[in-house]
């Protein structure tokens, strides 16, 4: 493979947004070079490739950089339009997956993040907000996918599986690090979809290791290892 | 041909993104003005998750979120495409469309706030405009190149709503001396017939948003 057609991913091992990209490349069988970034000491290259946000992930292909995980996923699917396809062919089905990917990124992910910083009564409210959003998410997906898992397309992980799974499959590490318990019975369908995803060999290969991730989350948000009162 | 309906509001730039796209592509549609203080059962049925406009209904099937709708339109109506055909150019367009959605809210913050919060929002807005002028637009006539594309529609609020907000709060952001290329773009954008003939009345906007600002500042 010549230099220009090389694929390089700039990322951090604990970031679900970066996992999305490497998952997609693996799924499609695209070889790539991975560069682990230290976000406390960003490389010149990262800043050059993503001057607007200076964030990971960045995909560089044929020397040209692309930032924003969902934008990268669509690029991967369009440039390497071999099977398996990440997004559905039908425009209406594509609109559906984009809608839910946006919902996850704009509603679920931020609510989960804000939960980390809360204590006491505020935390209870934050948990309730997360559960309410999860309810809307799960019911909406059940409606749109007639009860089937939205995270698989046949035997392959689907676009939504990549987008949601990259974060949600780490739920046990998150719960342990943040000392929170969500009522799994309230979201039985969602939990079963996530468990199926976790069991997929590709997910198993690409997800960060549990203990390492727990330690990382605790460190990043200055959380004590003792359980919350 | 399957029927196209657009649920929107006359003062929303998100609503107009879709309306402009339909006009640019010459797609016949039926428009329904929604009252957001008294949402129609049809709107709630079409968008049960957010209960927001715009909603596009094509052949009875609803699509929500303005940028999701714009991405959708090139599928059934590939003529006058909103996105370029090259995968890398498409990625660049999507990046800026996302930027418009993620960062554009700072202008709304400037509009609905006062004091320190507004000062921060003004600073943020100017930084955003600088990024857009230098990195997104550059020397192109439109963000889409020679023709209006999805990114132009995504930034459409800058061409018409920003001026209204500036007048109401008495702060000028998009000065021609500071942002000559972006300023020229607002003129080119609004000269395009599909846009020019589909802009909310400026006086009506001033009155409406002035009222809205008062309400927002008065509430706790």
């Amino acid at each position: 493979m010549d230099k220009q057609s090389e694929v390089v991913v700039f990322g951090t091992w604990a970031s679900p947004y970066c996992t999305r990209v490497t998952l997609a490349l693996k799924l499609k069988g695209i070889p790539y070079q991975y560069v682990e970034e230290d976000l406390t000491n960003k490389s010149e290259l990262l800043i050059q490739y993503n001057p607007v946000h200076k964030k990971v992930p960045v995909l560089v292909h044929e020397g040209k950089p692309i930032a924003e995980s969902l934008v990268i996923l669509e690029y991967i699917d369009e440039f390497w339009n071999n099977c398996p396809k990440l997004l559905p062919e039908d425009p209406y089905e594509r609109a559906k997956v984009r809608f839910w990917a946006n919902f996850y990124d704009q509603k679920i992910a931020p609510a989960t993040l804000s939960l980390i910083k809360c204590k006491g009564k505020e935390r209870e409210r934050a948990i309730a907000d997360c559960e309410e959003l999860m309810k809307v998410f799960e019911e909406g997906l059940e409606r749109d996918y007639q009860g089937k898992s939205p995270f698989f397309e046949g035997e392959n992980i689907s676009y939504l599986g990549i987008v949601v799974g990259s974060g949600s499959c780490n739920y046990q590490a998150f719960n342990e690090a943040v000392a929170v318990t969500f009522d799994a019975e309230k979201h039985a369908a969602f939990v079963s979809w996530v468990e199926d995803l976790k069991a997929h060999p590709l997910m198993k290969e690409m997800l960060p290791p549990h203990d390492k991730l727990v330690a990382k989350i605790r460190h990043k948000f200055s959380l004590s290892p003792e359980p919350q009162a | 041909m399957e029927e196209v309906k657009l649920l929107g509001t006359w003062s929303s730039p998100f609503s107009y993104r879709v309306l402009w796209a339909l006009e640019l592509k010459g797609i016949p549609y039926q428009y329904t003005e929604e009252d957001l203080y008294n949402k129609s059962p049809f709107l709630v049925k079409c968008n049960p998750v957010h209960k927001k406009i715009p909603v596009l209904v094509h052949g009875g099937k609803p699509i929500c979120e303005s940028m999701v709708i714009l991405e959708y339109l090139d599928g059934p109506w590939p003529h006058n495409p909103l996105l370029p055909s090259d995968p890398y150019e498409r990625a660049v367009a999507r990046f800026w469309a996302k930027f418009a959605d993620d960062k554009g809210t700072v202008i709304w913050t400037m509009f609905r706030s006062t004091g320190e919060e507004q000062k921060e929002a003004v600073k943020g807005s100017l930084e955003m405009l600088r990024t857009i002028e230098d990195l997104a637009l550059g020397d192109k006539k439109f963000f889409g190149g020679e023709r209006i594309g999805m990114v132009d529609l995504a930034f459409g609020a800058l061409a018409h709503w920003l001026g209204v907000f500036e007048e109401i709060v008495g702060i000028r952001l998009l000065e021609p001396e500071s942002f000559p290329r972006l300023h020229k773009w607002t003129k080119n954008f609004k000269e395009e017939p599909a846009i020019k003939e589909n802009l909310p009345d400026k006086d009506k906007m001033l009155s409406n948003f002035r009222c809205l600002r008062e309400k927002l500042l008065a509430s706790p």
Side-chain angles (χ1 to χ4, degrees):
Chain A
M1 186 176 42
D2 64 76
K3 206 83 178 84
Q4 271 301 89
S5 63
E6 195 178 64
V7 176
V8 185
V9 177
F10 290 78
T12 53
W13 65 267
S15 159
Y17 303 103
C18 299
T19 307
R20 287 175 178 178
V21 176
T22 51
L23 250 177
L25 292 168
K26 279 275 176 169
L27 191 61
K28 289 236 185 214
I30 301 158
Y32 63 94
Q33 184 200 333
Y34 176 78
V35 175
E36 177 71 22
E37 278 287 328
D38 173 2
L39 296 181
T40 63
N41 186 20
K42 293 174 186 179
S43 71
E44 291 280 323
L45 266 184
L46 176 65
I47 296 173
Q48 178 196 323
Y49 284 140
N50 190 359
V52 176
H53 302 300
K54 304 175 180 61
K55 283 181 169 181
V56 291
V58 175
L59 182 100
V60 184
H61 180 222
E62 300 180 330
K64 296 183 289 193
I66 300 155
E68 298 292 314
S69 61
L70 298 186
V71 175
I72 296 170
L73 292 186
E74 298 236 18
Y75 175 80
I76 290 171
D77 208 29
E78 285 177 356
F79 189 89
W80 291 279
N81 55 3
N82 58 311
C83 284
K85 295 289 287 168
L86 299 180
L87 282 99
E89 295 289 344
D90 176 70
Y92 186 69
E93 294 301 316
R94 292 163 83 83
K96 265 201 246 170
V97 303
R98 286 175 178 139
F99 175 87
W100 288 117
N102 283 349
F103 185 87
Y104 185 81
D105 272 3
Q106 286 159 16
K107 301 285 183 190
I108 306 257
T112 316
L113 207 60
S114 56
L115 159 65
I116 300 175
K117 302 167 192 166
C118 296
K119 287 188 167 49
K121 268 270 172 305
E122 238 184 47
R123 173 175 257 241
E124 278 173 31
R125 226 203 5 245
I127 294 174
D129 286 346
C130 280
E131 301 226 300
E132 181 55 42
L133 285 168
M134 273 308 306
K135 183 164 180 269
V136 171
F137 193 47
E138 188 189 57
E139 285 175 0
L141 288 172
E142 277 183 309
R143 196 171 50 233
D144 276 0
Y145 295 94
Q146 294 93 45
K148 278 174 29 215
S149 170
F151 300 153
F152 281 93
E153 192 59 55
E155 302 223 316
N156 289 313
I157 302 175
S158 68
Y159 173 81
L160 282 180
I162 294 173
V163 170
V164 178
S166 53
S168 292
C169 286
N170 298 319
Y171 77 90
Q172 282 165 328
F174 176 84
N175 290 358
E176 186 177 323
V178 176
V180 70
T181 332
F182 290 101
D183 187 349
E185 273 171 39
K186 281 190 186 169
H187 318 289
F190 182 78
V191 171
S192 84
W193 299 334
V194 169
E195 287 299 324
D196 286 345
L197 208 42
K198 280 174 68 182
H200 191 283
L202 188 57
M203 255 321 167
K204 280 192 187 167
E205 184 191 338
M206 303 307 289
L207 287 174
H210 175 95
D211 288 344
K212 208 176 162 199
L213 188 58
V214 171
K216 177 72 179 180
I217 295 171
R218 284 188 176 143
H219 178 260
K220 182 172 178 178
F221 296 101
S222 310
L223 301 170
S224 80
E226 277 84 58
Q228 298 266 347
Chain B
M1 209 217 20
E2 290 181 306
E3 195 183 44
V4 175
K5 296 186 187 184
L6 171 63
L7 310 182
T9 59
W10 72 270
S11 60
S12 160
F14 304 101
S15 190
Y16 272 85
R17 284 173 172 177
V18 180
L19 199 145
W20 291 328
L22 294 169
E23 292 284 337
L24 283 165
K25 283 179 168 285
I27 300 166
Y29 61 96
Q30 184 202 339
Y31 175 79
T32 301
E33 177 72 21
E34 282 288 329
D35 176 359
L36 296 182
Y37 296 101
N38 187 20
K39 292 174 184 180
S40 72
F42 186 58
L43 171 60
V44 175
K45 177 171 170 234
C46 287
N47 192 355
V49 174
H50 300 299
K51 304 175 180 61
K52 283 179 167 180
I53 56 93
V55 177
L56 188 90
V57 188
H58 182 207
K61 294 191 284 196
I63 300 142
C64 310
E65 302 289 292
S66 60
M67 297 317 298
V68 175
I69 297 169
L70 293 193
E71 283 260 20
Y72 171 77
L73 292 176
D74 273 359
W77 297 280
H79 61 284
N80 293 356
L82 298 174
L83 277 156
S85 52
D86 173 72
Y88 184 72
E89 296 304 317
R90 289 164 77 85
V92 173
R94 286 177 176 134
F95 174 88
W96 288 114
K98 185 169 201 296
F99 181 92
D101 267 358
D102 291 348
K103 301 293 180 188
T105 50
V106 70
I107 293 190
W108 181 251
T109 305
M110 179 206 69
F111 170 74
R112 62 147 184 79
S113 63
T114 55
E116 204 52 49
E117 196 188 357
Q118 191 184 54
K119 261 177 88 180
E120 279 305 305
V122 167
K123 185 163 169 268
S125 297
L126 288 169
E127 282 166 7
M128 184 191 69
L129 292 176
R130 176 59 48 214
T131 301
I132 296 169
E133 160 119 354
D134 292 346
L135 298 180
L137 183 63
D139 293 321
K140 302 194 300 284
K141 182 180 184 192
F142 295 114
F143 292 95
E146 282 306 304
R147 284 174 50 246
I148 286 179
M150 186 173 81
V151 181
D152 298 273
L153 303 184
F155 282 126
L158 296 179
H160 197 61
W161 279 255
L162 178 56
V164 169
F165 295 167
E166 285 173 336
E167 195 170 322
I168 293 171
V169 302
I171 300 169
R172 196 83 197 278
L173 291 177
L174 188 39
E175 309 229 48
E177 305 80 43
S178 308
F179 304 100
R181 292 174 292 185
L182 196 51
H183 192 259
K184 185 136 202 296
W185 170 82
T186 65
K187 303 262 169 284
N188 289 332
F189 183 73
K190 292 212 282 191
E191 256 158 43
E192 181 75 26
I195 311 296
K196 189 174 184 176
E197 289 153 25
N198 294 287
L199 285 169
D201 176 73
K202 188 148 183 237
D203 289 331
K204 204 177 165 193
M205 290 244 280
L206 279 166
S207 159
N208 176 75
F209 282 103
R210 216 165 242 139
C211 231
L212 181 56
R213 184 166 194 258
E214 277 167 25
K215 247 197 246 174
L216 290 169
L217 290 176
S219 58

